[in-house]
Every structure is written in structure tokens, then in C-alpha cells.
Amino acid sequence: MIVLSPRLAAAADFVPPCRVMADIGTDHAYVPLYLWQTGRISRAIASDIHEGPAERAREHCAKVSAEAAISVRVGPGLTTLQPGEAEGAVIAGMGGLMIREILAKGGMTAEAMDWFVLQPQNHAAELRRWLCANGYVICGERLAAEDRQLYQILFVRRGEAPPMEEIEAETGLLRYRREDPLFPLFLRQLIRRRDLTIDGVAADTANEVNRAKRLRAEREKQELEALLWKYGQKTS
């Protein structure tokens, strides 16, 4: 039985039972193998832009006799799929801007998907804003801790969503985060980033750009501290 890392396990947990799913940027094909072994899916398409990871995926599939259930393909983004071939896709382990580009270029294939599980390594705020502006609704979010890092996992479907405020785009939709035990730690990390900005700009700077940057960081730090207080945690 495949054992997933905390980051991949959190992504796999979001995948609903389905006939066929796709794993974009599959690397070792661990996620589709786990979902197949646990009976969550019947078949999968494991896709990667590079031949090396695809070959590793084939080797792992062969070890558990999953070659007939998991089709390994090589190509960028969703181009390895035909519209309607998979019910949904996991896109994990890459930057938020890359995920945004994959969805934007997905065309009819992306439009035919019922759901996406997204795990941006960075630029999560930019990804959230793009999703809400381009016909996607964030239906669920989760944090996962792995190797002293926090990872954000999003479950999205097609639909209309209101624009997101700056802090909301960075922290995620709070109604999906309230019960997450890692959320206070995540907020503290965001506060520390503002502290670095504030400490790096003198309060009496004559540079208008830097002054605006410091004022914004101070304002956002107050908002984040208020959120941290709201969830019963001390600011630190």
C-alpha cells in the first residue's frame, strides 16, 4: 500500500470517489496509486511534462500491477487529456502561477472537469484571486505540515464567486479554515513576513514607495493579528 506524505495525503483526501481522475505533474504517481489501491477511483491518468518522472511513475505502477488502471502520459498541463476523459484533476507540487497558467490554457478540457484539487507551492493569493475571477468557486481548503513547511490545498469547482479582498486571498476563505489546527501557525507566519517589511523600512523614510510599503505592512499586520485574536490565539 502506498503511504503518502502529509502534503499529498491532504490533497488525496479531497478527491471525491470517481471513475477516472487525472494527476497533473504526477512525478512518482503516488496519489493516483493510493486512490486506486484504496478503491476511491477506478482508473487514472498520471501526466508529467518530463519523461524522467513519467518513467518513475510507470515503474511504480508496474510494481503493484496497476499498468492497466493508470495511464502514464508525457506532456504539459492538461494537453495530455481529451475533454471529458477525466472527471477531475489533482494539480500539486508546483507554483500557484504555473497552476493558474495550466487552468487558463486548459480550454475545453478544463471546462469539462467537475473539480480540481490544487496545491500551490507559492503565490496562493494570486491563484485564489484568479480562480474567483474566472469561473471557479473554492469549496474547501486545508493546511498540511511537512518538513517544517505549511502547504495549502484547495478544492475547487466551477461556479461564480465574489472578488476577494487582499487579506482574504492570502489567508483563504476563513469559513473553511476555522477548524484547522494549523491556521494560527499559518497566521503567525504571515505576521512575521509583515514584521520583516516593517523592520526593513525606517519609519521616517522620505521614499514614498517604501513609506507606502511600510504603511501597508502595518495595516495588514493589524488585520492578521485581529484574525489571530479572533481564533483565540495570542499574537507572537
Side-chain angles (χ1 to χ4, degrees):
M1 175 70 71
I2 294 292
V3 178
L4 298 178
S5 67
R7 172 179 68 88
L8 293 180
D13 284 347
F14 264 140
V15 175
C18 62
R19 186 176 60 85
V20 184
M21 60 82 66
D23 185 30
I24 307 302
T26 193
D27 199 3
H28 296 77
Y30 286 153
V31 169
L33 280 170
Y34 170 82
L35 293 169
W36 175 72
Q37 288 180 327
T38 55
R40 191 94 58 84
I41 64 172
S42 299
R43 294 192 299 110
I45 299 161
S47 177
D48 204 283
I49 193 172
H50 298 298
E51 178 60 41
E55 184 57 33
R56 289 196 294 271
R58 294 188 191 99
E59 292 172 358
H60 283 108
C61 290
K63 286 180 180 179
V64 294
S65 302
E67 302 100 311
I70 299 176
S71 172
V72 180
R73 303 176 186 179
V74 178
L78 298 172
T79 62
T80 59
L81 304 172
Q82 294 298 315
E85 191 175 12
E87 295 158 62
V90 173
I91 309 178
M94 61 189 79
L97 301 184
M98 176 61 71
I99 294 175
R100 184 179 70 182
E101 182 178 353
I102 288 172
L103 293 176
K105 292 182 176 180
M108 294 179 63
T109 301
E111 292 177 7
M113 295 280 189
D114 293 332
W115 52 264
F116 287 98
V117 176
L118 311 176
Q119 188 269 295
Q121 300 285 75
N122 50 43
H123 296 289
E126 290 89 337
L127 177 60
R128 284 191 186 91
R129 284 197 295 270
W130 184 88
L131 290 168
C132 292
N134 287 272
Y136 291 95
V137 175
I138 301 172
C139 301
E141 298 196 34
R142 188 170 297 162
L143 290 163
E146 182 177 323
D147 296 331
R148 298 184 179 182
Q149 294 189 51
L150 288 181
Y151 295 92
Q152 303 178 67
I153 300 96
L154 286 66
F155 180 76
V156 305
R157 293 186 184 273
R158 282 286 180 179
E160 297 298 321
M164 302 186 80
E165 299 293 334
E166 187 70 27
I167 289 295
E168 186 180 36
E170 193 168 5
T171 59
L173 297 176
L174 297 183
R175 62 181 178 275
Y176 300 122
R177 300 277 195 144
R178 288 184 185 130
E179 305 303 322
D180 198 320
L182 293 172
F183 189 53
L185 175 60
F186 178 65
L187 289 175
R188 289 192 181 95
Q189 290 184 353
L190 297 181
I191 291 169
R192 281 197 290 270
R193 292 179 195 173
R194 269 63 183 189
D195 284 334
L196 289 174
T197 299
I198 294 168
D199 293 343
V201 178
D204 58 352
T205 179
N207 185 300
E208 289 300 322
V209 173
N210 287 341
R211 177 174 173 78
K213 185 185 299 184
R214 179 187 171 102
L215 290 174
R216 177 178 174 179
E218 290 174 339
R219 182 182 69 253
E220 292 178 347
K221 178 181 178 179
Q222 290 181 344
E223 292 182 54
L224 292 166
E225 287 179 334
L227 285 175
L228 194 53
W229 179 260
K230 178 180 178 180
Y231 290 99
Q233 304 294 327
K234 295 181 180 179
T235 57
S236 61

